[in-house]
Amino acid sequence: MKQFKDLNASIALLRALLAADDVEPEQKKEVERALGEVRKLRRKPQLTQADVFSCVRNVTESLVRA
């Protein structure tokens, strides 16, 4: 249950970032990509540590590019 609370909080923060007016189109694309990764992680029924690490890596790469 806590995992979903944390993931939902992360999704809310990324959505708030997308709603900001000072985000450029390319940054918006990278944030949307990160948001998609978090959503994909939330939908997986059986999470493994490798799944979580892979998602964190993809999200981090997207946000660093943004």
Side-chain angles (χ1 to χ4, degrees):
M1 184 62 139
K2 177 151 175 44
Q3 292 173 349
F4 288 116
K5 286 182 182 179
D6 291 338
L7 287 174
N8 289 337
S10 297
I11 289 171
L13 289 171
L14 290 171
R15 282 184 182 162
L17 185 60
L18 283 175
D21 290 336
D22 60 341
V23 180
E24 295 179 14
E26 185 155 328
Q27 291 174 326
K28 193 173 261 193
K29 183 179 106 181
E30 292 297 333
V31 173
E32 286 172 352
R33 183 173 169 215
L35 183 60
E37 287 290 326
V38 175
R39 285 181 179 157
K40 187 168 46 170
L41 183 69
R42 185 176 63 174
R43 286 191 300 259
K44 287 194 174 189
Q46 298 293 324
L47 291 177
T48 64
Q49 195 172 22
D51 291 335
V52 174
F53 288 160
S54 175
C55 180
V56 168
R57 177 182 178 191
N58 292 335
V59 168
T60 304
E61 287 175 354
S62 293
L63 293 178
V64 166
R65 275 190 240 124

